[in-house]
Amino acid sequence: MREGSLDAPTRHIIDWNNPDFYDEQKLDDELRRVFDICHGCRRCFNLCDSFPRLFDLIDASETEELDSVASEDFKPVVDACTLCDMCFMTKCPYVPPHEFNLDFPHLMLRYRAVEKKNGKDKFVSRELAKTDRNGKLAAPVAPIANWATKKSNGMTRGIMEATLGIDKHAALPKYQSKTLEARAKDNPLEINKDAPAYGRKVVIYATCFGNYNNPATGEATRKVLAKNGIETEIVYPGCCGMPLMEQGDLAGVVENAKKVSAELGGWIDKGYDVIALVSSCALMLKFEWPLLAPDDAAIEKLSKATFDVAEYVMEFAKKEGMADGMQPIGDSMAMHLACHARAQNMGAKGAEILRLIPDAKVTVVERCSGHGGSWGIMKGNYETALKVGKPAARNALKSNAKYIASECPLAAEHLMQGIENLDAEGVNAKSALHPIELLAKAYGL
């Protein structure tokens, strides 16, 4: 592979069961090899905060080279990585199959896995990563949980910042008393037998966020697919493990992968396609799980059958066509291309489905929101997250769009906070939605 070529990057299996993976000297040797190449290139300076931290660290050292940087000073560089994959997917000219063989995000993952093995992971981060458990606990007391986590609740948010390290200014996801699974069970939909795509069947993997925090995305998906003749089932076997992966808990990710793939595999055998409601979860099912468990047939089968929401809509839109009935919704839209949607190598599918809406005016925002999962809500990270996401927020604001759409629900809310910092009054006239919700609006659903 030549430098800067258009050949597709490849990713190696994550060899997390190999004892060498956890060898601290071998890890340090690889960190120094990769960091030295990054230092000589610096093409990634304007992505996340990992690279400015690395370059500042080297520039401030005695020799202004990596040889005078202590290994213990690497940790802030690792901690700033949000595993967004954008350096690997869009910037680095040295990814495999290039002979330099750089995979910066997975090297940061290895560092965290070593920390996890050595008991150096943080308690709060570890507990926040248990999104499935947290959703189950919060749902029965959702009004109280939402009251306590509101930004305007200075008392409880101050306590949370002091004890948990969650920045009191960061918007936190709301919880719902009724899950997406329960709503779907109580509200069966009539399938449009006259639609061009009639006969298709889909199982919707609800995800933690879709099930407990934002059922609206799943409900919109069900309605749009039913309108287009597609039968749907809502299934939630458990978390995809992305929050665990961020903490280096690779064994926990694989345990979840085996559980989810076993249940969803039964639906695949019955002729169902699989849709994941959140782009990060789709990325896990399609790409990360097979790298962690390459010999698991159920995981491989699920990987090949899984679609992102917008990806699936465009798949049947191009093959069979869309059902009639969409009307203009009368407002321009800013479509933020979330990092974990871009990392799926499927194209700008969120923007494509918005352009299906008659007279749609779509502005594409192709910059990171800066949120980075649970990373962006923590004290010390939140201001950095806003800084990283400021170009995206500025571009969305410049578009004068009423609707700010993103396939990542956390990114959408974080962008709204960035827009609020730029235009405190104007943000009130805007809404943050998943693009499938705008498609449902165009159908009048």
Side-chain angles (χ1 to χ4, degrees):
M1 181 181 183
R2 65 191 185 280
E3 181 178 336
S5 81
L6 296 179
D7 297 339
T10 59
R11 272 200 140 149
H12 300 310
I13 301 301
I14 301 173
D15 197 15
W16 66 281
N17 284 311
N18 186 337
D20 284 350
F21 188 82
Y22 302 95
D23 186 295
E24 294 186 52
Q25 183 57 56
K26 291 181 178 179
L27 170 61
D28 188 67
D29 290 344
E30 181 64 4
L31 285 166
R32 289 185 173 276
R33 184 188 78 85
V34 169
F35 286 175
D36 196 42
I37 295 172
C38 293
H39 162 50
C41 175
R42 302 205 175 196
R43 183 176 175 179
C44 47
F45 73 96
N46 63 343
L47 291 177
C48 69
D49 206 41
S50 281
F51 300 105
R53 290 187 188 190
L54 173 62
F55 303 146
D56 288 348
L57 187 65
I58 296 171
D59 293 344
S61 69
E62 183 179 352
T63 64
E64 298 185 9
E65 296 291 344
L66 196 65
D67 61 1
S68 58
V69 176
S71 296
E72 54 265 29
D73 293 334
F74 292 161
K75 183 170 170 53
V77 177
V78 179
D79 287 348
C81 176
T82 62
L83 301 182
C84 74
D85 276 348
M86 286 300 97
C87 58
F88 183 88
M89 298 304 306
T90 69
K91 285 284 187 179
C92 184
Y94 303 126
V95 297
H98 191 283
E99 61 181 331
F100 285 0
N101 192 30
L102 259 68
D103 189 335
F104 191 94
H106 281 179
L107 181 58
M108 302 301 99
L109 179 65
R110 179 182 175 185
Y111 187 105
R112 293 176 189 179
V114 172
E115 282 191 316
K116 173 73 177 176
K117 186 175 187 294
N118 293 336
K120 295 181 180 179
D121 55 328
K122 297 178 180 178
F123 173 79
V124 171
S125 298
R126 188 166 64 243
E127 296 306 306
L128 287 174
K130 297 175 182 177
T131 50
D132 186 17
R133 180 208 62 185
N134 296 342
K136 290 176 181 176
L137 291 175
V141 292
I144 298 174
N146 294 335
W147 167 81
T149 57
K150 283 176 61 175
K151 285 193 302 174
S152 59
N153 193 331
M155 178 185 69
T156 55
R157 288 303 299 266
I159 294 172
M160 290 174 66
E161 182 173 283
T163 58
L164 302 177
I166 297 174
D167 195 293
K168 62 184 178 182
H169 301 294
L172 299 179
K174 293 180 180 179
Y175 287 97
Q176 304 295 322
S177 299
K178 194 171 186 179
T179 66
L180 176 59
E181 280 186 299
R183 294 176 189 221
K185 189 176 295 184
D186 293 344
N187 184 30
L189 299 176
E190 183 179 350
I191 306 300
N192 179 10
K193 296 181 180 180
D194 297 324
Y198 175 69
R200 284 178 174 253
K201 298 186 294 184
V202 167
V203 58
I204 298 174
Y205 173 47
T207 74
C208 300
F209 200 91
N211 201 41
Y212 297 115
N213 301 107
N214 188 20
T217 300
E219 291 182 296
T221 302
R222 291 180 67 230
K223 291 174 181 177
V224 169
L225 295 186
K227 177 72 174 179
N228 281 277
I230 301 172
E231 175 191 334
T232 61
E233 295 286 344
I234 298 291
V235 177
Y236 179 66
C239 179
C240 73
M242 172 59 83
L244 298 176
M245 189 165 172
E246 291 172 348
Q247 306 306 318
D249 186 1
L250 303 185
V253 175
V254 172
E255 181 181 348
N256 284 19
K258 290 180 180 295
K259 177 183 176 181
V260 174
S261 61
E263 182 161 339
L264 291 179
W267 292 96
I268 297 170
D269 292 340
K270 291 187 286 187
Y272 285 73
D273 296 317
V274 179
I275 289 177
L277 286 179
V278 176
S279 55
S280 297
C281 307
L283 180 68
M284 292 295 287
L285 272 61
K286 292 162 70 175
F287 296 105
E288 299 290 4
W289 285 3
L291 295 176
L292 290 166
D295 299 323
D296 192 297
I299 287 175
E300 180 65 20
K301 179 170 69 174
L302 177 57
S303 170
K304 294 177 178 178
T306 298
F307 295 83
D308 192 89
V309 178
E311 179 187 21
Y312 189 76
V313 171
M314 289 310 304
E315 206 266 343
F316 72 76
K318 290 177 179 179
K319 286 187 177 180
E320 290 95 0
M322 298 289 290
D324 295 334
M326 273 194 282
Q327 299 294 324
I329 57 177
D331 291 291
S332 59
M333 295 157 269
M335 179 64 218
H336 169 249
L337 303 184
C339 296
H340 284 168
R342 295 171 66 190
Q344 293 177 54
N345 282 323
M346 60 183 181
K349 291 295 185 288
E352 289 182 40
I353 69 167
L354 290 183
R355 293 190 181 110
L356 296 173
I357 300 172
D359 302 329
K361 296 178 182 178
V362 182
T363 299
V364 173
V365 178
E366 198 172 358
R367 291 291 295 266
C368 179
S369 73
H371 192 277
S374 60
W375 179 89
I377 66 173
M378 305 305 292
K379 183 70 175 176
N381 296 342
Y382 175 66
E383 291 299 328
T384 301
L386 286 176
K387 178 183 176 181
V388 171
K390 190 173 182 178
R394 186 188 300 115
N395 290 342
L397 184 61
K398 282 183 180 179
S399 72
N400 293 318
K402 176 180 179 180
Y403 298 112
I404 310 299
S406 178
E407 289 151 300
C408 175
L410 294 174
E413 289 299 330
H414 187 67
L415 280 175
M416 291 293 280
Q417 285 201 269
I419 292 171
E420 183 179 12
N421 286 348
L422 296 170
D423 185 355
E425 294 183 6
V427 73
N428 295 323
K430 302 181 185 299
S431 301
L433 298 168
H434 191 285
I436 196 71
E437 295 178 76
L438 293 173
L439 210 60
K441 181 178 177 66
Y443 272 123
L445 301 173

